[in-house]
Amino acid sequence: MSEVMSEEILENPRDDILETAKRIIRLGPICDSCLGRQFAMLATGLTNAERGRSLKTVLAMQASADGDSSTLEDLAPSFRSARLKLGRRDEPDARCTVCLGEMSIEVLDKWAEKSAAALAGWEYSTLLVGTKMSGLLAENEELLLADGGSRHAEPFKSELNREVGKRLTQLTGKEFDLRNPDMVVHLNLENGEAELQVASLFIRGRYRKLVRGIPQTRWPCRECRGRGCPRCNYTGRMYQESVDEIIRPAVIQAAEAEDTVFHGAGREDIDARMLGRGRPFIVEAVRPRKRTIDLLKLHEEINRQAEGKVEVIDLALADSSMVERLKEAAFIKTYSALIRLGADVAEEKLKSGLRRLVGQVDQRTPTRVSHRRADKLRLRKVYSTDLIEVKGNLARINVKGESGLYIKELISGDGGRTQPNLAEILRVDAIVEELDVIDVGGESDGTSSRNAEEV
Ligand SMILES: [Zn+2]
Ligand SMILES: [Zn+2]
């Protein structure tokens, strides 16, 4: 025996497996699984029931050899061999005082059948089993750990998950996946139900918003917060439709989902269109019954239902990790703006004015959003500006800028809160009359604030 080991044994004189097992058995009737679970970390390749049975067997043999009838008495309620030795042939096994019978073969089988029944009718390829403990069982487990004193136990949950899981993979033929299962079956020990947790289905794509006046996502009424009031005409919302809600019905139908959640890579203003190649988005189908989606058909169906207001392109399946990336991505955007000037400005002067906007811009939170956003100074980049057309005091320009750049304020100056700005450079009033996003392009260098609302 090595020095380290002998020291350990001196420090922990009570760590004798058979002594510990005897102490546990003295606490009350205990099934093979619950006894074996107290030593789960010690011998691999065995079930806890096998570990428990082995311990009971050795304890009974030792007690017989020693003529130790008190240990045989302790073993008897939950070990038939000890009962035979004591002449108690006709007595059945007592109920386990730890799991209250949950670890019996019949109950484990019943849990697996219940789980399989809950999973029927859902399309999925991977699953996982979890356990919601009841207060009573959690307390039993704690008491056993405290009074039994084994240092090698595994949690009750782990064994139940594993044992039901084994049976469930047999019943369903599906694979286990610890990280990203389509389905998690929660065995609720409090109410006896097998409850399903269904992973969302994620579909990515790009959307074009072809009309003005539609927000990107559902917008609950500010007055009533969605309950319905005179202001919102009892609809509960500020706008009657949104890109989100236009896309939603076809996705719900295709995935047989309960709801959808819309994730956009930033958003344009309600009065701005989203043109060009469109804006990247991910739509999350919540609790989908179907996971095999005909994306071409979905694409056609969304566009048909959108009636020319919205169009989606490049639909593909995505996964949950892409949502985070999409939200964090800071895209470079190109805008087309129709601007109205306070006076006619010569084309050359306008062009040189626009050139002076390129570079770094300081923007305080715009007045128009200051009621819902903290007043902050942001530094944003303007990559390029182009004059497309000028007619009298109306000009159409393109601006390519960093994610989070406010275009309306870049033109008007917002009372000097954006510097530089076109109005100040030209020394005439300048306002954006119409704004469209015409490209959401490659990622910028990441210095901008995340997930900002642009334009
Ligand atoms: Zn038990
Ligand atoms: Zn309302």
Side-chain angles (χ1 to χ4, degrees), residues 21 48-49 84 88 92 96 137 163 169-170 179 182 209 239 248 250 256 259 285 314 329 334 357 373 450 455:
N48 284 333
L84 291 176
R88 288 155 58 178
C96 173
L137 289 175
E163 289 300 326
T169 47
Q170 285 285 325
R179 285 172 173 215
D182 291 340
K209 189 175 97 188
Y239 292 87
R248 186 169 177 261
E256 292 176 26
D259 198 359
D314 299 342
T334 309
L357 293 177
R373 281 174 191 247
R450 302 301 190 187
V455 304

Side-chain angles (χ1 to χ4, degrees), residues 48 69 238 266 291 366 388 402:
N48 284 333
S69 59
M238 300 288 282
R291 287 174 188 275
I388 305 300
E402 190 182 357

Side-chain angles (χ1 to χ4, degrees), residues 260-271:
T260 63
V261 181
F262 189 93
H263 309 279
R267 61 176 64 197
E268 62 285 341
D269 270 359
I270 292 165
D271 58 6

Side-chain angles (χ1 to χ4, degrees), residues 109-119 168 171 185 191-194:
D109 286 348
K110 194 195 75 197
W111 271 122
E113 282 156 22
K114 246 186 202 184
S115 304
L119 286 162
L168 193 54
L171 284 176
V185 185
N191 64 13
E193 299 294 327

Side-chain angles (χ1 to χ4, degrees), residues 31 34 96 99:
C31 70
C34 288
C96 173
C99 68

Side-chain angles (χ1 to χ4, degrees), residues 87-363:
R88 288 155 58 178
R89 174 175 296 272
D90 297 329
E91 205 178 303
D93 265 345
R95 187 162 83 141
C96 173
T97 52
V98 179
C99 68
L100 311 177
E102 287 288 343
M103 284 297 174
S104 71
I105 304 287
E106 302 75 56
V107 175
L108 293 174
D109 286 348
K110 194 195 75 197
W111 271 122
E113 282 156 22
K114 246 186 202 184
S115 304
L119 286 162
W122 295 82
E123 183 190 345
Y124 64 99
S125 46
T126 55
L127 63 94
L128 192 62
V129 175
T131 293
K132 282 184 193 162
M133 289 292 275
S134 70
L136 189 59
L137 289 175
E139 193 176 81
N140 287 354
E141 184 176 34
E142 266 173 48
L143 285 175
L144 182 60
L145 267 183
D147 298 343
S150 172
R151 286 189 282 269
H152 312 288
E154 73 168 339
F156 179 89
K157 282 179 174 193
S158 309
E159 180 173 4
L160 190 62
N161 295 346
R162 188 174 59 242
E163 289 300 326
V164 175
K166 272 192 249 175
R167 290 161 168 81
L168 193 54
T169 47
Q170 285 285 325
L171 284 176
T172 61
K174 305 290 182 177
E175 301 268 309
F176 251 58
D177 184 347
L178 291 172
R179 285 172 173 215
N180 226 349
D182 291 340
M183 295 289 186
V184 183
V185 185
H186 292 283
L187 313 176
N188 186 332
L189 296 177
E190 201 77 67
N191 64 13
E193 299 294 327
E195 294 162 355
L196 283 191
Q197 180 188 322
V198 183
S200 293
L201 179 73
F202 297 89
I203 298 164
R204 68 188 160 91
R206 301 175 77 100
Y207 75 84
R208 290 160 35 92
K209 189 175 97 188
L210 306 170
V211 294
R212 302 181 199 284
I214 301 178
Q216 187 190 65
T217 50
R218 284 165 240 184
W219 193 326
C221 170
R222 239 179 239 137
E223 205 77 24
C224 65
R225 293 173 189 276
R227 285 190 307 275
C229 69
R231 181 187 165 159
C232 60
N233 206 10
Y234 300 96
T235 59
R237 47 192 64 178
M238 300 288 282
Y239 292 87
Q240 296 319 306
E241 50 187 1
S242 59
V243 176
D244 167 19
E245 287 159 297
I246 286 171
I247 290 175
R248 186 169 177 261
V251 175
I252 286 187
Q253 195 181 24
E256 292 176 26
E258 289 178 9
D259 198 359
T260 63
V261 181
F262 189 93
H263 309 279
R267 61 176 64 197
E268 62 285 341
D269 270 359
I270 292 165
D271 58 6
R273 291 183 298 181
M274 177 64 237
L275 305 174
R277 291 180 295 160
R279 182 186 295 275
F281 72 93
I282 292 178
V283 60
E284 179 180 346
V286 178
R287 289 180 69 86
R289 282 195 175 261
K290 284 182 64 185
R291 287 174 188 275
T292 310
I293 305 289
D294 183 342
L295 290 172
L296 210 62
K297 205 174 141 201
L298 176 63
H299 170 252
E300 281 169 10
E301 193 53 27
I302 293 172
N303 290 345
R304 190 185 68 75
Q305 293 183 11
E307 296 172 331
K309 295 175 204 161
V310 169
E311 192 185 308
V312 295
I313 46 178
D314 299 342
L315 294 186
L317 288 179
D319 62 63
S320 61
S321 67
M322 287 180 187
V323 174
E324 204 61 28
R325 289 213 301 279
L326 180 85
K327 297 217 144 190
E328 284 181 357
F331 291 98
I332 295 171
K333 281 147 194 136
T334 309
Y335 304 88
S336 166
L338 180 66
I339 58 179
R340 181 183 295 278
L341 302 166
D344 291 5
V345 175
E347 186 170 332
E348 274 318 304
K349 190 182 169 194
L350 189 50
K351 276 185 176 168
S352 82
L354 286 169
R355 270 197 298 275
R356 285 171 60 188
L357 293 177
V358 175
Q360 186 132 303
V361 176
D362 293 357
Q363 293 198 303

Side-chain angles (χ1 to χ4, degrees), residues 300-441:
E300 281 169 10
E301 193 53 27
I302 293 172
N303 290 345
R304 190 185 68 75
Q305 293 183 11
E307 296 172 331
K309 295 175 204 161
V310 169
E311 192 185 308
V312 295
I313 46 178
D314 299 342
L315 294 186
L317 288 179
D319 62 63
S320 61
S321 67
M322 287 180 187
V323 174
E324 204 61 28
R325 289 213 301 279
L326 180 85
K327 297 217 144 190
E328 284 181 357
F331 291 98
I332 295 171
K333 281 147 194 136
T334 309
Y335 304 88
S336 166
L338 180 66
I339 58 179
R340 181 183 295 278
L341 302 166
D344 291 5
V345 175
E347 186 170 332
E348 274 318 304
K349 190 182 169 194
L350 189 50
K351 276 185 176 168
S352 82
L354 286 169
R355 270 197 298 275
R356 285 171 60 188
L357 293 177
V358 175
Q360 186 132 303
V361 176
D362 293 357
Q363 293 198 303
R364 297 207 75 86
T365 302
T367 323
R368 66 189 162 99
V369 298
S370 59
H371 63 280
R372 56 192 168 98
R373 281 174 191 247
D375 188 21
K376 272 200 317 197
L377 181 67
R378 297 176 178 80
L379 304 180
R380 291 288 181 269
K381 281 188 194 121
V382 174
Y383 295 110
S384 66
T385 54
D386 290 297
L387 178 63
I388 305 300
E389 189 179 25
V390 59
K391 266 187 202 155
N393 67 336
L394 283 178
R396 180 160 289 282
I397 62 166
N398 285 357
V399 179
K400 185 172 176 181
E402 190 182 357
S403 176
L405 175 71
Y406 291 110
I407 301 295
K408 290 172 183 168
E409 285 68 21
L410 180 71
I411 302 306
S412 72
D414 194 23
R417 294 163 69 85
T418 287
Q419 292 291 342
N421 64 73
L422 191 65
E424 214 167 284
I425 291 169
L426 299 177
R427 295 206 181 90
V428 296
D429 285 347
I431 56 160
V432 171
E433 289 252 306
E434 278 179 13
L435 190 65
D436 296 318
V437 185
I438 56 173
D439 192 45
V440 177

